[in-house]
Amino acid sequence: MTRTAQLSGVLLLALSCLLPGCLNVQRLKNADPYVIHHHNWWNYYQRGRLYVQDEKFQAAQSDFQTALGQIPGARLSYAKESWRARTYGMHLIEGYFPHRELGICLFEQQQFSEALELLEFSIQMEPSARAKFYINQVHAALARASTPPRIEINTLSGWTPQRALSFQGTVEGPNPIVALAINGEQEFIELATSHRPFLRKLALKEGRNVIPIVATDVADNQTTTNLIISADWTPPEIHLHRAGSSLTITCTDNLGLNQLEINERIEYATSNEHTLTHPLIAGEPLHVTASDHAGNRITWSLSKKEIQHLAQPSETGPPRLHVTNADKTITLYNPEYVLDLRADDDTALETVQLNGVNLLTQITPLFRTMRRIPLELGYNRFELMAEDTDGNQTSTEITVRYRQPEYRDRIYRLATALAPLEGEIPDITFKRRVNHLIGHELTLDPVRFNLLADIDETSQLLSEQSLSDSELSDPRALLKQGEKLDADLVFFTRVLSDGAGYTIYTQVLDTRSGDELFVEDVYLEDLHHLPNQLSGLVMKLEQHFPLIQACLQQQDRRLVIDAGAMKGAQKGMRFLVIRSSGTFEQGRVILTENRPVELIISEVESARAQVIVPNGQSKHTAQPGDFVFSR
């Protein structure tokens, strides 16, 4: 089967829920909404949904119980939760959750214990965000005033040399935790629990960082704590002066100088600048190490020959710059370049500049500094210049190319076709906003999917075919557009009007098999929460596709990778094959006929997984010792 034909089949499968056989509340309202002509379970369920929207919860309760067969009235009953339940023939009903809706009716009638039992039963059968929302509501109704939640952080306040901080902790309390804000950003919480672990990575600013953590339980008890981290990624600097038969050694730091070690002699600093003298003895080398409170270190060693040269008068000349990779272009795969610079002069250095900025804080004949410089993608140029007190100058430059590892390029991510929002949409503004937010979240770094066309482009294709949600009896025009795509996945997002709120759910389908891989959803009643909820929806989608790095091995004539279920590996997961003579980041993606070579997991164990070569691909392309990276 060709790739386009496979995609056509997937689109047809997804469209089956959009055909006239797929019932929804809007269409029922356009008919005679409260009169049941055919006494089947789906007729009662749909009328029950209307009653919920009208806040007639007792009448809705009766209809849901009839659909479930708990009370007589329907010729047939159906008691299984499902996103798409088949009624008869090719007809489907969208969003069939009778236990959930019955539980909501009982909640609205303050029968909390019975409501909780039904809602929990519903998510055991088929998880839905609306059920979790109302479980939180039940817990809030049953909550009692009590002690506020406790926040424990596994990272102690202190110093760090990192530009970003990863930390984790837990929130616990007698009541379920319904909200957690870290540094002003809300965690995505669907189902409130009394014990909630959290993990967060935050960019830091150099200096003192105060990170507030606020936890709120269902009874509105709130606890706030602050994680205080001082970030310092600038190592100390060393200045050497000759003073007769001695050396004056001055170490400075921008934030917190800690200690100096001179030939195994240690002195602790009490300020950000510390000066000491050391005898200038010919034939005795000098080793100076300075460190700050964050752990940044700089070391300067002078050999016996350098000490002897320093002790003797010499002819004056231009300054000398000692920099690794001077006048070269180098390539890095991490976003930081460590510049290790040493400058010296026979008289004294007046200035040492990096891209026009003077690094010296005082005139000195010998200067040593180390700079950790953030890089931008592409070429980064660093110009260095030293000038002495006589006006002599020396300059050099370094060009650093920063690039993402090839396997991180979006073209190697899973190719995804993203359809515009359909379903029970309240207005065009809502549709445009949802489309924009989902597309935005899917393109944030790190990019997890390769979107073949954004939602606006897809919408234009549909508009040109004059298709609408109410007139999809002939999906051939949409399928024709789908045949032009070469997608690995197709995302279909729909909205259901559920009572006082909206359920937004996304079906993810595999174009190769035509199978629905999974469904994820969110529910909200306050449209101000729409950005946070859609961010959570995309996060839930991406969690099904973890990024895994591993090495390919051969065991008993089988290909395996050294990553298993403990690292998130799943059966059917697809991997790029990467070959490198150096580090993993330097590796190149192996291509065959302009397509990346792939391996697919066939069996998963705890610490490893067996992989197979897809049909149509040479079995000898991938070799033991290659790296793999999940698509």
Side-chain angles (χ1 to χ4, degrees), residues 69 155 191 259 276 333 353 365 367 454 472 492 512 522 598:
T155 301
L191 186 61
Q259 72 173 33
L276 53 84
Y333 296 90
Q353 294 183 5
F367 173 66
D454 62 29
L472 281 174
F492 285 92
R512 291 189 175 186
V522 290
E598 279 192 327

Side-chain angles (χ1 to χ4, degrees), residues 300-312:
W300 195 352
S301 296
L302 296 177
S303 67
K304 295 179 182 180
K305 185 176 181 180
E306 288 173 317
I307 289 291
Q308 185 176 0
H309 176 77
L310 188 63
Q312 297 174 350

Side-chain angles (χ1 to χ4, degrees), residues 24-31 50 53 423-426 497:
N24 58 51
V25 171
Q26 298 294 341
R27 295 194 61 190
L28 187 57
K29 277 189 170 181
N30 292 336
L50 283 175
Q53 288 189 346
E424 299 168 359
I425 301 171
S497 178

Side-chain angles (χ1 to χ4, degrees), residues 174-196:
N175 291 320
I177 311 304
V178 74
L180 177 63
I182 300 175
N183 204 35
E185 293 186 12
Q186 289 287 340
E187 291 279 290
F188 180 70
I189 297 178
E190 275 192 318
L191 186 61
T193 56
S194 298
H195 175 86
R196 175 162 294 278

Side-chain angles (χ1 to χ4, degrees), residues 366-526:
L366 297 99
F367 173 66
R368 179 72 181 274
T369 187
M370 187 178 293
R371 300 281 164 152
R372 294 168 50 194
I373 307 172
L375 301 174
E376 296 184 356
L377 285 172
Y379 290 90
N380 299 259
R381 185 180 178 188
F382 302 110
E383 296 178 344
L384 302 164
M385 189 273 289
E387 183 177 351
D388 62 20
T389 52
D390 295 329
N392 300 308
Q393 290 187 356
T394 299
S395 62
T396 188
E397 67 178 43
I398 302 169
T399 301
V400 180
R401 182 192 180 198
Y402 167 46
R403 55 165 294 180
Q404 293 273 18
E406 185 186 39
Y407 57 82
R408 286 276 189 178
D409 195 302
R410 59 169 292 195
I411 65 172
Y412 297 120
R413 301 299 93 222
L414 291 168
T416 303
L418 186 62
L421 184 71
E422 296 294 350
E424 299 168 359
I425 301 171
D427 54 59
I428 190 62
T429 300
F430 180 92
K431 179 175 182 176
R432 288 172 177 167
R433 192 176 181 207
V434 171
N435 286 338
H436 170 74
L437 289 171
I438 290 179
H440 172 72
E441 290 292 333
L442 284 170
T443 54
L444 291 178
D445 286 331
V447 174
R448 191 61 194 88
F449 303 103
N450 178 19
L451 297 185
L452 299 179
D454 62 29
I455 292 179
D456 290 337
E457 293 169 334
T458 309
S459 298
Q460 185 175 357
L461 292 175
L462 299 179
S463 176
E464 291 172 357
Q465 298 297 331
S466 301
L467 297 177
S468 69
D469 187 31
S470 60
E471 297 174 352
L472 281 174
S473 57
D474 184 359
R476 287 175 295 178
L478 179 58
L479 293 178
K480 186 175 181 180
Q481 300 301 333
E483 289 174 356
K484 298 178 182 179
L485 301 176
D486 189 15
D488 299 302
L489 304 172
V490 182
F491 288 3
F492 285 92
T493 302
R494 291 184 58 79
V495 59
L496 294 176
S497 178
D498 275 328
Y502 300 96
T503 292
I504 302 172
Y505 75 95
T506 298
Q507 302 166 256
V508 178
L509 300 103
D510 187 310
T511 59
R512 291 189 175 186
S513 63
D515 295 337
E516 178 184 275
L517 300 180
F518 57 87
V519 175
E520 290 292 355
D521 74 313
V522 290
Y523 175 78
L524 72 159
E525 293 187 352
D526 185 346

Side-chain angles (χ1 to χ4, degrees), residues 85-356:
R86 188 173 300 280
T87 55
Y88 63 93
M90 292 297 293
H91 291 256
L92 302 169
I93 187 170
E94 184 178 18
Y96 182 71
F97 292 89
H99 297 92
R100 181 191 73 188
E101 296 304 308
L102 178 56
I104 293 171
C105 290
L106 296 179
F107 164 78
E108 296 291 353
Q109 297 175 76
Q110 299 188 356
Q111 299 178 46
F112 301 126
S113 298
E114 296 85 348
L116 184 60
E117 183 177 349
L118 283 164
L119 291 166
E120 290 179 338
F121 180 77
S122 174
I123 63 172
Q124 289 174 7
M125 189 176 293
E126 181 69 63
S128 69
R130 178 167 159 86
K132 296 173 184 177
F133 177 90
Y134 275 95
I135 288 175
N136 294 343
Q137 298 290 89
V138 172
H139 284 311
L142 296 174
R144 297 179 180 178
S146 60
T147 57
R150 301 181 304 277
I151 302 174
E152 294 185 2
I153 307 172
N154 296 347
T155 301
L156 299 177
S157 296
W159 290 84
T160 179
Q162 304 301 321
R163 295 180 183 271
L165 175 69
S166 294
F167 62 96
Q168 58 186 359
T170 57
V171 182
E172 292 183 304
N175 291 320
I177 311 304
V178 74
L180 177 63
I182 300 175
N183 204 35
E185 293 186 12
Q186 289 287 340
E187 291 279 290
F188 180 70
I189 297 178
E190 275 192 318
L191 186 61
T193 56
S194 298
H195 175 86
R196 175 162 294 278
F198 60 87
L199 174 66
R200 183 67 75 88
K201 184 175 183 179
L202 293 176
L204 300 174
K205 64 179 181 180
E206 194 163 27
R208 190 170 185 264
N209 295 260
V210 180
I211 303 169
I213 302 173
V214 183
T216 308
D217 66 18
V218 293
D220 280 336
N221 297 306
Q222 193 172 88
T223 298
T224 301
T225 189
N226 290 325
L227 174 61
I228 300 175
I229 295 290
S230 294
D232 181 6
W233 44 78
T234 304
E237 296 175 348
I238 301 175
H239 307 258
L240 298 181
H241 298 263
R242 178 182 173 183
S245 60
S246 299
L247 280 178
T248 299
I249 304 171
T250 300
C251 295
T252 61
D253 189 74
N254 60 325
L255 293 177
L257 188 63
N258 183 29
Q259 72 173 33
L260 283 73
E261 183 176 346
I262 315 294
N263 286 0
E264 299 183 353
R265 165 191 164 199
I266 296 177
E267 289 198 16
Y268 291 94
T270 57
S271 66
N272 289 351
E273 180 174 314
H274 191 79
T275 301
L276 53 84
T277 58
H278 185 78
L280 186 59
I281 303 174
E284 180 179 301
L286 177 67
H287 303 284
V288 182
T289 299
S291 60
D292 59 25
H293 291 300
N296 298 298
R297 297 167 62 88
I298 186 169
T299 298
W300 195 352
S301 296
L302 296 177
S303 67
K304 295 179 182 180
K305 185 176 181 180
E306 288 173 317
I307 289 291
Q308 185 176 0
H309 176 77
L310 188 63
Q312 297 174 350
S314 60
E315 298 181 1
T316 60
R320 292 170 290 276
L321 282 171
H322 308 274
V323 185
T324 305
N325 298 313
D327 297 318
K328 294 181 180 179
T329 297
I330 61 173
T331 299
L332 294 181
Y333 296 90
N334 59 74
E336 188 177 71
Y337 172 62
V338 178
L339 173 67
D340 192 349
L341 168 68
R342 181 164 63 92
D344 63 85
D345 187 73
D346 297 317
T347 54
L349 295 165
E350 178 79 30
T351 179
V352 176
Q353 294 183 5
L354 169 61
N355 288 347

